[in-house]
Amino acid sequence: MTQIPPIRMTEEVATALAEGAPVVALESTIISHGMPWPQNAEMALRVEGVLREGGAVPATIAVVDGALCAGLDADQVERLGRGGAVVKAASRDLGACLVKGLTAGTTVSATMRIAALAGIGTFATGGIGGVHRGDGMDVSADLTELATTDVLVVCAGVKSILDIPRTVEMLETLRVPLAVFGTAEFPAFYTPHSGVIAGERFDDPAEIAAVRGANRALGLGTGMLVANPIPAQHALDAADIGATIDAALVAAEAEGVTGKDVTPFLLGRLNAVTEGKALAANIELVLNNARLAARIAVAAAG
Ligand code: PSU
Ligand code: MN
């Protein structure tokens, strides 16, 4: 059988994993395709700092020149942030990246796959992909990966570029355990409110870690999704951002954007049209998710 090369880890990540110390994975499509330069690279370094403050070692995951990496240096973060010859890789794209020696930002699905191979069980991101509005067949591979790969993902819900009720339904169909932190309502990324009551409410990160342990003992074989609402002081006005999202969806349709380009197109529009307000909220919620992921990883390691 073909062997893939070992995952390239920073010494910090390799040591932490060997010692059983808390490690939290971070994705890199958010850097390469989710935010503009240079705020993307600044965010990437800040979120690593937040994890360290929380007692966890950050492992930013990406593919660099065909090597699967867990833990990046500042130059590699800059390369992803500046973009250019950087592709967006979901888990199904990783084989091609390896063979062709590509450099890629890894989506939630690809990051989960690499984290699982590396032995990292906790992962913080901004928003996951889901079921797109309108085209009910455009379903992110993030959901399928959550159904099959044992990594806990902390997100701020999904933004309403997606069909939130259908995304939540699909998670249920795929039997992905869903924990909502500090509320009973599935959050809508830029705002804490989606109107969708789903999942199980938890207020204690240690309890979330314990549920993951129970799921493993049950042999469920899935990942787990933790939805963590954006803090109220950073939330956007729901009506404002809703109208902006509606306009971005119309633009995507008019310009004939399809496939893996849809999500980056919409994110780019939102960041541009809101003159940085959406970007600022996005950065704050990622930091907030990293704080919670560190607490879960610390509880799991203890
Ligand atoms: N949603 C966001 N920000 C992001 C993404 C989604 O609010 O950066 C990125 C993540 O990497 C996610 C990917 O895994 O987009 C999903 O892409 P798609 O919809 O093509 O599956
Ligand atoms: Mn898609």
Side-chain angles (χ1 to χ4, degrees), residues 27-35 88-90 105-111 123 125-132 138-143 157-159 161-162 189-190 259-264 267 270 282 285-286:
E27 63 145 313
S28 50
T29 293
I30 193 174
I31 306 173
S32 60
H33 292 77
M35 291 184 187
K88 169 185 168 189
T106 49
T107 67
V108 168
S109 71
T111 303
F123 163 19
T125 186
I128 61 160
V131 182
H132 279 264
D138 185 353
V139 182
S140 176
D142 293 352
L143 300 187
V158 298
K159 53 170 71 95
I161 61 170
L162 301 175
F189 196 88
Y190 294 122
K260 69 203 280 185
D261 297 331
V262 172
T263 298
L267 301 180
L270 300 186
N282 197 343
L285 65 84
V286 172

Side-chain angles (χ1 to χ4, degrees), residues 155-160 164 168 180-198 201 227-239 241 281 285 288-289:
C155 70
V158 298
K159 53 170 71 95
S160 61
I164 298 177
V168 167
V180 189
F181 190 65
T183 170
E185 189 177 355
F186 190 78
F189 196 88
Y190 294 122
T191 80
H193 306 295
S194 68
V196 178
I197 305 295
R201 173 181 179 153
N228 185 31
I230 184 171
Q233 71 269 29
H234 300 299
L236 299 184
D237 180 83
I241 194 68
L285 65 84
N288 188 52
N289 293 343

Side-chain angles (χ1 to χ4, degrees), residues 159-180:
K159 53 170 71 95
S160 61
I161 61 170
L162 301 175
D163 185 324
I164 298 177
R166 284 211 170 109
T167 299
V168 167
E169 280 295 338
M170 187 62 89
L171 286 165
E172 186 179 320
T173 301
L174 296 172
R175 70 211 233 307
V176 175
L178 173 60
V180 189

Side-chain angles (χ1 to χ4, degrees), residues 72-98:
L72 301 180
D73 63 30
D75 290 343
Q76 291 170 325
V77 169
E78 174 167 343
R79 225 175 119 184
L80 290 163
R82 285 186 180 275
V86 180
V87 301
K88 169 185 168 189
S91 47
R92 72 155 184 182
D93 304 312
L94 291 173
C97 290
L98 284 168

Side-chain angles (χ1 to χ4, degrees), residues 255-274:
E255 294 186 30
V257 183
T258 57
K260 69 203 280 185
D261 297 331
V262 172
T263 298
F265 176 89
L266 294 171
L267 301 180
R269 278 302 267 232
L270 300 186
N271 289 335
V273 171
T274 63

